[in-house]
């Protein structure tokens, strides 16, 4: 690969695509597809109780941390702010990243670079590069598919094989609930850790697995438990984090690394909380005691659907597994696919009912979607089943099919997806209520645990329940009393147990703050039944920026 002529002296701009996102426009934004993971894919039918938050573009932060060249990260700019950055500073390299639905925005940003900074070398990475024929769709000098740190280092003339340094990444920002802003992470500062990218299991619909080389391929940044522990300590010191979101497709699959981390946490008395992605076959490698001591509080578990044939679920009783995990206070975030090949209008209610019966704290529902670049897309293409004229901006699993299903029409697919979200909310109630129920379960089971780290962790959660969370329960209870009395009564029962067993000022706080939250929730629901339109704020991060000329 040819190096950039300026090498490490090159000035680099790394940018995500421009906002706004939550609107229908000519660049591919869609009102139905906001830049919010939870409100988009998990809690979107939960009205004012939907969790609202944003996440930074972590890949850009990782790239910036691992080059010595002067570098700016521009995250969530407006189109005008992006142009201003191009015209204010002379950049030798401009790197853009985007997901497939944002290909129109990437195309426009390429045009803007050519217009306003024609001397810049233009590089495009991210999932958008998985689109077949992307080279003909974008005016870019380099299309980089897969892991980008080594590529960018080599391009700038730096040593590609050096250890990858991990940036400090707050897990989320802009948290809102019931119409009001809340502390970062909802009250518990959390950091994102990226141990590896890619997935060895490689489900046929998975864009992440395919992007990093396909089934069985992954790039590991943190190979040993001590590597993970070191980065977690850095995040604890730099961000005050004691909770960690492990952005790894199957963190628990690597048991040796996880148990090495556990031993270090024990040796140093770390009462940390871990939020992980995993699979049923990986979880079965552990006993529950190991997971509890490791601080696993949240597991994103692919349930997919009853009757599926995915290897990660082979022989798994997911209902029993979810129940067992949650009986120990480990929150399960289930993920179910609507529209698999064996689904029909006649059995879809049974499929949805099976998913809802897991009673997971959170539940993501997604349409079976052949996304460009995946094995499923190639299969559908070979069979002639891809629908013509579907805009890439609408291929995201939260709208309608982009392929011909044997039994379900395109319009039915969207209706069934909406039905799944509604049914989960009607039966199981707000995820916030379920989260608090799980916290309370964990506290009751482990408040007198012999491990002081475990005791400290669950007592910290009890403190949250006693110092304000109950007010949210009071508001949810009152809000749902007329529309869903069964769930309202369950919420009231949980609130009562917390007030009696944890005590403290919980009853007073609940009755003082609860009415305010109820008023705010009702106001938010009246103003925007589907949720207020929110956009992430813009971030401008500069590194190695000393003595950089600033005039074109």
């Amino acid at each position: 690969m040819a190096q950039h002529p300026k090498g490490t002296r090159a000035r680099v701009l790394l940018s995500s695509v421009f906002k706004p996102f939550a609107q229908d426009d000519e660049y591919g934004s869609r009102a139905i597809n906001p830049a919010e993971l939870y409100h988009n894919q998990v809690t979107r039918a939960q009205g004012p109780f939907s969790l609202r938050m944003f996440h930074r573009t972590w890949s850009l932060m990782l790239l910036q941390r691992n080059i010595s060249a002067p570098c700016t990260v521009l995250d969530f700019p407006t189109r005008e702010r992006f142009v201003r950055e191009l015209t204010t500073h002379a950049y030798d390299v401009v790197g853009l990243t985007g997901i497939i639905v944002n290909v129109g925005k990437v195309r426009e940003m390429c045009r803007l670079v050519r217009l306003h900074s024609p001397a810049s070398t233009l590089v495009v990475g991210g999932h958008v590069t998985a689109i077949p024929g992307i080279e003909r769709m974008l005016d870019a000098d380099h299309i980089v598919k897969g892991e980008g740190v080594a590529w960018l280092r080599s391009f700038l003339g730096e040593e590609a094989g050096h250890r990858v340094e991990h940036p400090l990444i707050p897990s989320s920002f802009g948290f809102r609930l019931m119409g009001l802003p809340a502390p970062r992470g909802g009250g518990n500062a959390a950091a994102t850790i990226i141990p590896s990218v890619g997935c060895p299991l490689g489900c046929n619909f998975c864009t992440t697995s395919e992007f990093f080389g396909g089934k069985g391929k992954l790039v590991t940044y943190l190979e040993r438990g001590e590597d993970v522990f070191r980065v977690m300590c850095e995040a604890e010191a730099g961000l005050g984090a004691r909770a960690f979101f492990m952005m790894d497709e199957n963190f628990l699959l690597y048991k040796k690394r996880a148990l090495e981390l556990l031993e270090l946490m024990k040796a140093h008395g770390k009462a940390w909380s871990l939020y992980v992605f995993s699979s049923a076959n990986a979880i079965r490698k552990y006993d529950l005691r190991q997971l509890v001591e490791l601080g696993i509080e949240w597991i994103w578990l692919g349930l997919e659907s009853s009757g599926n044939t995915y290897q990660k679920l082979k022989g798994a009783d997911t209902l029993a597994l979810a129940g067992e995990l949650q009986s120990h206070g480990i929150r399960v975030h289930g993920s179910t696919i609507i529209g698999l090949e064996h689904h029909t209008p006649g059995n879809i209610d049974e499929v949805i009912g099976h998913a809802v019966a897991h009673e997971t704290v959170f539940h993501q529902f997604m349409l079976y979607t052949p996304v460009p670049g995946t094995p499923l897309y190639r299969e559908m293409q070979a069979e002639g089943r891809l629908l013509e004229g579907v805009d890439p901006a609408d291929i995201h699993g939260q709208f309608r099919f982009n392929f011909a299903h044997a039994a379900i029409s395109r319009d039915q697919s969207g209706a069934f997806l909406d039905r799944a979200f509604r049914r989960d909310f009607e039966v199981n109630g707000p995820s916030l209520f379920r989260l608090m129920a799980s916290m309370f379960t964990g506290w009751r089971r482990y408040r007198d645990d012999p491990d002081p780290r475990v005791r400290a962790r669950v007592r910290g959660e009890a403190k949250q329940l006693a110092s304000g969370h109950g007010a949210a329960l009071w508001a949810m209870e009152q809000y749902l009393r007329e529309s869903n009395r069964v769930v309202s009564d369950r919420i009231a029962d949980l609130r009562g147990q917390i007030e009696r067993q944890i005590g403290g000022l919980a009853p007073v706080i609940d009755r003082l703050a609860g009415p305010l939250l109820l008023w705010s929730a009702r106001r938010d629901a009246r103003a925007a039944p589907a949720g207020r339109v929110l956009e992430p704020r813009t971030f401008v991060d500069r590194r190695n920026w000393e003595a950089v000329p600033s005039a074109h």
Side-chain angles (χ1 to χ4, degrees):
M1 174 177 56
Q3 296 178 0
H4 192 276
K6 292 184 181 290
T8 57
R9 293 177 291 113
R11 293 174 290 268
V12 179
L13 170 63
L14 302 174
S15 182
S16 63
V17 297
F18 57 86
K19 59 184 179 183
F21 296 102
Q23 66 174 31
D24 296 327
D25 65 24
E26 69 271 31
Y27 299 115
S29 288
R30 294 291 184 267
I32 199 174
N33 191 32
E36 298 177 70
L37 172 63
Y38 276 86
H39 186 61
N40 184 7
Q41 301 178 13
V42 183
T43 58
R44 77 181 202 186
Q46 298 188 18
F49 310 117
S50 180
L51 273 63
R52 310 298 300 273
M53 71 188 86
F54 298 97
H55 301 84
R56 289 288 305 275
T57 306
W58 300 328
S59 60
L60 298 185
M61 300 173 75
L62 185 68
L63 288 168
Q64 183 189 49
R65 180 68 179 83
N66 283 281
I67 59 175
S68 58
C71 180
T72 298
V73 164
L74 192 58
D75 211 358
F76 309 120
T78 61
R79 189 171 173 276
E80 294 72 24
R81 182 63 184 82
F82 178 66
V83 171
R84 178 152 56 93
E85 188 67 27
L86 291 175
T87 55
T88 303
H89 301 284
Y91 286 105
D92 301 293
V93 179
V94 176
L96 306 175
T97 188
I99 57 177
I100 288 171
V101 295
N102 288 323
V103 63
K105 291 190 171 185
V106 176
R107 183 189 299 114
E108 172 64 5
M109 294 176 81
C110 288
R111 188 188 71 81
L112 293 172
V113 172
R114 295 305 194 206
L115 178 64
H116 297 286
S117 187
S120 299
T121 298
L122 183 51
V123 182
V124 173
H127 285 270
V128 68
T129 63
I131 298 176
I134 189 66
E135 297 82 0
R136 298 185 297 276
M137 300 171 67
L138 305 177
D139 180 12
D141 297 301
H142 300 278
I143 302 291
V144 181
K145 300 181 180 181
E147 199 278 332
V149 172
W151 188 95
L152 186 57
R153 282 174 167 175
S154 294
F155 183 66
L156 295 174
E158 302 185 23
E159 177 55 56
H162 282 170
R163 185 179 79 178
V164 172
E165 299 294 334
H166 202 287
L168 295 177
I169 307 177
S171 182
S172 64
F173 67 95
F175 193 94
R176 293 180 65 89
L177 186 67
M178 297 190 196
L180 296 173
R184 185 179 69 192
N188 190 11
T192 292
I193 308 294
I194 310 174
S196 69
V197 290
C199 181
L201 298 181
C203 297
N204 66 340
F205 55 80
C206 181
T207 57
T208 303
S209 174
E210 187 66 17
F211 181 71
F212 291 105
K215 185 174 183 177
K217 304 290 181 62
L218 71 161
V219 178
T220 301
Y221 298 129
L222 306 174
E223 294 187 0
R224 302 166 299 174
E226 63 186 86
D227 299 324
V228 179
F229 183 78
R230 169 179 51 82
V231 172
M232 293 171 76
C233 287
E234 291 170 357
E236 182 181 47
L239 299 172
R242 299 186 62 79
F244 302 88
F245 175 34
M246 296 296 178
M247 188 58 200
D248 186 299
E249 292 296 309
N250 204 331
F251 182 76
L252 294 178
L253 191 62
Y254 308 100
K255 187 176 181 181
K256 182 175 184 292
R257 181 179 65 183
L259 295 185
E260 288 172 353
L261 173 62
L262 173 56
E263 290 307 309
L264 287 167
M265 289 172 61
K266 287 181 175 179
H268 293 269
K270 298 297 186 182
W272 289 336
S273 303
L274 275 67
Y275 311 148
V276 305
F277 291 84
S278 198
S279 56
N281 63 349
I283 294 169
R284 287 201 302 266
K285 295 181 178 182
Y286 301 80
D287 61 51
L288 265 295
R289 182 67 198 177
Q290 289 174 316
L291 297 180
V292 170
E293 291 184 355
L294 191 55
I296 303 295
E297 285 189 357
W298 180 98
I299 297 179
W300 188 306
L301 179 63
L303 306 174
E304 314 317 359
S305 171
S306 57
N308 72 78
T309 59
Y310 293 108
Q311 183 64 30
K312 64 185 179 182
L313 292 167
K314 187 175 182 180
D317 182 344
T318 55
L319 283 168
L321 178 60
E324 183 180 21
L325 290 169
Q326 296 195 148
S327 72
H328 289 262
I330 298 174
R331 286 65 114 167
V332 176
H333 184 141
S335 180
T336 292
I337 297 174
I338 300 296
L340 289 170
E341 298 284 15
H342 64 282
H343 293 173
T344 68
N347 67 23
I348 197 65
D349 284 327
E350 180 183 350
V351 168
I352 293 171
H354 177 76
V356 170
H358 285 80
E359 297 183 274
T360 57
V361 171
F362 299 102
H363 211 129
Q364 176 197 49
F365 293 95
M366 294 284 286
L367 289 175
Y368 194 48
T369 304
V371 176
T374 61
L376 180 60
Y377 183 89
R378 293 191 290 271
E379 292 170 16
M380 293 290 184
Q381 188 175 47
E383 295 172 9
R385 295 173 61 189
L386 294 176
L387 299 178
E388 294 183 2
V390 178
D391 193 309
D394 295 318
I395 304 175
H396 50 72
Q398 289 295 324
F399 181 43
R400 291 183 295 186
F401 282 156
N402 65 323
F403 73 102
H405 191 282
I408 299 173
S409 72
R410 190 163 189 252
D411 287 341
Q412 283 177 318
S413 68
F416 292 156
L417 180 68
D418 291 341
R419 185 183 302 178
F421 281 113
R422 287 195 305 270
R423 186 63 179 158
D424 182 55
F425 180 51
E426 290 167 358
V427 173
N428 294 321
S431 286
L432 182 63
F433 152 60
R434 305 179 224 173
L435 173 63
M436 295 181 195
S438 180
M439 293 167 67
F440 185 60
T441 296
W443 172 76
R444 286 197 302 183
R445 186 157 193 160
Y446 291 106
R447 58 184 165 178
D448 298 318
D449 193 85
D451 186 333
R453 299 177 313 105
V454 175
R455 291 199 307 273
R457 182 166 56 80
V458 299
R459 287 176 181 176
E461 296 201 325
K463 184 177 180 180
Q464 293 182 58
L465 290 172
S467 62
H469 281 43
L473 288 172
W474 189 94
M476 285 185 279
E477 172 192 340
Q478 300 301 318
Y479 188 98
L480 295 171
R481 183 161 296 281
E482 292 186 7
S483 61
N484 193 334
R485 186 59 180 261
V486 172
V487 169
S488 175
D489 287 346
R490 288 172 57 199
I491 295 173
D493 179 64
L494 174 63
R495 181 177 57 79
Q497 291 186 63
I498 291 172
E499 291 180 355
R500 290 190 300 272
Q501 296 186 41
I502 297 180
L505 293 176
V508 176
I509 294 173
D510 293 354
R511 285 157 183 79
L512 287 176
L516 171 63
L517 289 176
L518 177 61
W519 169 82
S520 179
R522 285 174 170 166
R523 181 192 61 174
D524 216 47
R526 287 194 300 269
R532 291 182 183 272
V533 175
L534 302 177
E535 296 288 347
R537 71 181 180 91
T538 299
F539 292 82
V540 182
D541 303 323
R542 304 193 195 276
R543 188 168 185 271
N544 302 326
W545 201 248
E546 297 80 6
V548 175
S550 61
H552 246 294

